[in-house]
Amino acid sequence: MKKQRAFLKWAGGKYGLVEDIQRHLPAARKLVEPFVGAGSVFLNTDYDQYLLADINPDLINLYNLLKDKPADYITESKRWFTPEYNRKEVYLDVRAQFNATDDVMYRSLAFLYMNRFGFNGLCRYNKKGGFNVPFGSYKKPYFPEAELEFFAEKAKKATFICEGYTETFKRARKGCVVYCDPPYAPLSTTANFTSYAGNGFSLDDQAALADVAEKTAQDRGIPVLISNHDTTLTRRLYHGADLNVVKVKRTISRNGAGRNKVDELLALFNAKES
């Protein structure tokens, strides 16, 4: 099966890890993802049904629009991928309009546009909820037409919902498997501590997620797989799970500092046989 790329660029996207994740995901009828992000695991697995959640309403609105009106969405979004839109002042104008409107179609079109024309495919909002990623200055941003079409087709098997992970866990039933890709734990407790907490997922949240994962597996018989950095902290949090280390390819970046990737942990809380 050919590996499918997500149509969004995504920090922490799981495209490079999907084979490892596939290997450790138990068989089930339905895959539940409380942190769907760009959806690489959804796109590269084969379950009968999917329940895909995220706390970002722009992401979920876009997915629902693409599911319900794929042709309209793809045709309209393609119009933005032209040289005239690849200018800083136009990008800033779109960003300002995006931040000023509640129109779901406009926001969904602008979201893909800013994802591809903005800096590094980042998705970042300020304290007031305004999208604030700067212009990317790319020569010719790629329009992910085939990726959008594949996603829209596969979305027929999926339900997309905007909510926090605790609510999504409550929706899981026997016959489901849950895969969690939370914002990753910091590599050291001092590393970027203030900015790290800014993604809204604190160390307390990491611990609470591990707790709900373990309870879901033990008390409700629903297996849960979580990916995270391999650190002392995450090993402590997931001590009740089967731990597998995934060696991440280390990429040497041009700036010499080196993008040294740390190994990743796949923690499987297996359902206890009752």
Side-chain angles (χ1 to χ4, degrees):
M1 195 169 109
K2 180 176 167 284
K3 250 168 86 172
Q4 294 293 337
R5 279 198 181 275
F7 66 84
L8 293 168
K9 293 164 143 186
W10 208 254
K14 287 290 161 289
Y15 182 77
L17 280 183
V18 290
E19 293 93 343
D20 294 291
I21 293 165
Q22 284 166 346
R23 251 202 321 280
H24 292 105
L25 269 174
R29 214 171 32 75
K30 185 178 196 171
L31 178 67
V32 177
E33 287 196 63
F35 307 87
V36 68
S40 284
V41 173
F42 154 61
L43 293 168
N44 290 287
T45 48
D46 191 20
Y47 290 89
D48 294 343
Q49 288 178 300
Y50 293 85
L51 175 62
L52 306 170
D54 204 280
I55 54 164
N56 183 337
D58 289 316
L59 189 67
I60 297 301
N61 285 338
L62 162 46
Y63 289 166
N64 277 318
L65 195 58
L66 183 56
K67 177 186 173 175
D68 298 336
K69 299 179 178 165
D72 291 356
Y73 181 79
I74 293 168
T75 306
E76 287 299 315
S77 58
K78 193 171 190 172
R79 291 184 186 165
W80 300 44
F81 282 69
T82 61
E84 70 186 276
Y85 271 92
N86 197 15
R87 306 205 317 266
K88 186 177 180 179
E89 60 277 22
V90 176
Y91 175 88
L92 294 176
D93 183 47
V94 167
R95 194 178 76 179
Q97 289 187 61
F98 172 89
N99 287 331
T101 186
D102 293 328
D103 184 80
V104 169
M105 183 56 136
Y106 186 87
R107 285 184 74 95
S108 296
L109 294 167
F111 191 83
L112 175 60
Y113 163 77
M114 293 187 299
N115 176 264
R116 288 279 166 179
F117 288 74
F119 180 73
N120 247 358
L122 292 173
C123 180
R124 200 181 61 201
Y125 300 82
N126 62 25
K127 292 266 193 295
K128 292 189 180 132
F131 194 87
N132 64 358
V133 176
F135 181 59
S137 298
Y138 298 110
K139 208 148 76 191
K140 193 185 178 204
Y142 169 70
F143 180 60
E145 189 159 7
E147 291 85 346
L148 283 161
E149 285 170 352
F150 185 89
F151 192 103
E153 183 58 35
K154 182 113 190 211
K156 292 173 180 171
K157 297 164 86 174
T159 300
F160 299 100
I161 196 153
C162 182
E163 64 185 11
Y165 73 88
T166 48
E167 283 75 33
T168 312
F169 264 95
K170 288 178 190 150
R171 296 177 191 270
R173 297 284 178 268
K174 269 280 181 56
C176 291
V177 58
V178 181
Y179 168 63
C180 293
D181 178 29
Y184 276 17
L187 293 177
S188 71
T189 36
T190 51
N192 304 338
F193 193 74
T194 45
S195 63
Y196 162 73
N199 69 13
F201 212 77
S202 66
L203 296 177
D204 287 344
D205 289 315
Q206 297 283 355
L209 173 62
D211 197 46
V212 74
E214 189 163 27
K215 286 197 169 78
T216 299
Q218 287 190 341
D219 305 346
R220 300 174 59 207
I222 300 166
V224 182
L225 182 69
I226 306 182
S227 50
N228 213 319
H229 285 318
D230 183 7
T231 67
T232 313
L233 170 81
T234 54
R235 283 180 173 263
R236 199 169 288 167
L237 290 179
Y238 307 143
H239 65 88
D242 297 338
L243 300 181
N244 286 283
V245 177
V246 179
K247 290 280 176 206
V248 174
K249 282 195 211 67
R250 293 173 195 283
T251 49
I252 303 300
S253 71
R254 286 186 303 247
N255 63 16
R259 292 186 178 166
N260 252 4
K261 293 252 181 99
V262 69
D263 290 333
E264 308 221 2
L265 206 54
L266 286 176
L268 177 63
F269 291 95
N270 252 315
K272 297 283 173 280
E273 295 302 318
S274 49

